[in-house]
Amino acid sequence: MRIGAETIERGSLKAVILTSLLSVFMFQLLRTVGLRAFSMASETYLSGTHSAAFVTCPNDTVAKDLAKGIVEKKLAACVNIVPAIKSIYEWQGKIEEDNEVLLVSADSDILKFTLELKPQHVK
């Protein structure tokens, strides 16, 4: 009878260890899936779920430099450059109109990177 109890104890210990390990490794996956499901169901935005970055640049050179930097830093797998857009905006109390270039990409930490390198900022 003692041998059977010892075998049951070992089996229980293995089950507890296996369950604990699976819980630790599955937590991140389950958390991500849960956050995305909540985001879709509630129509609320959660950073890192579904987002895109639209960044205007004054010219092709700046757009290419930013796009290359974003891809090199692995902030996005791909950045699209859309030429010849017209931007109308307020700058220092006046309405301005400029020809610009648009960068489009799936967002990660692109906004922070772009704001550090972009030549003009909103004031």
Side-chain angles (χ1 to χ4, degrees), residues 55 66 70 109-118 121:
V55 179
L66 283 174
I70 289 166
D109 292 320
I110 295 171
L111 182 59
K112 182 180 176 189
F113 175 78
T114 301
L115 290 176
E116 290 171 1
L117 297 178
K118 193 173 175 187
H121 298 283

Side-chain angles (χ1 to χ4, degrees), residues 60-78:
D60 281 338
T61 303
V62 172
K64 286 178 186 176
D65 289 345
L66 283 174
K68 285 178 184 176
I70 289 166
V71 173
E72 285 171 358
K73 290 184 175 283
K74 298 191 185 319
L75 299 173
C78 177

Side-chain angles (χ1 to χ4, degrees), residues 31-95:
R31 181 179 179 276
T32 301
V33 170
L35 285 173
R36 289 185 183 198
F38 175 77
S39 179
M40 289 186 300
S42 64
E43 296 183 15
T44 58
Y45 171 77
L46 292 174
S47 179
T49 53
H50 303 89
S51 56
F54 297 89
V55 179
T56 57
C57 300
N59 56 50
D60 281 338
T61 303
V62 172
K64 286 178 186 176
D65 289 345
L66 283 174
K68 285 178 184 176
I70 289 166
V71 173
E72 285 171 358
K73 290 184 175 283
K74 298 191 185 319
L75 299 173
C78 177
V79 177
N80 303 109
I81 299 175
V82 182
I85 65 165
K86 177 81 63 185
S87 294
I88 299 173
Y89 55 94
E90 183 179 346
W91 180 255
Q92 298 178 340
K94 295 190 300 185
I95 301 297

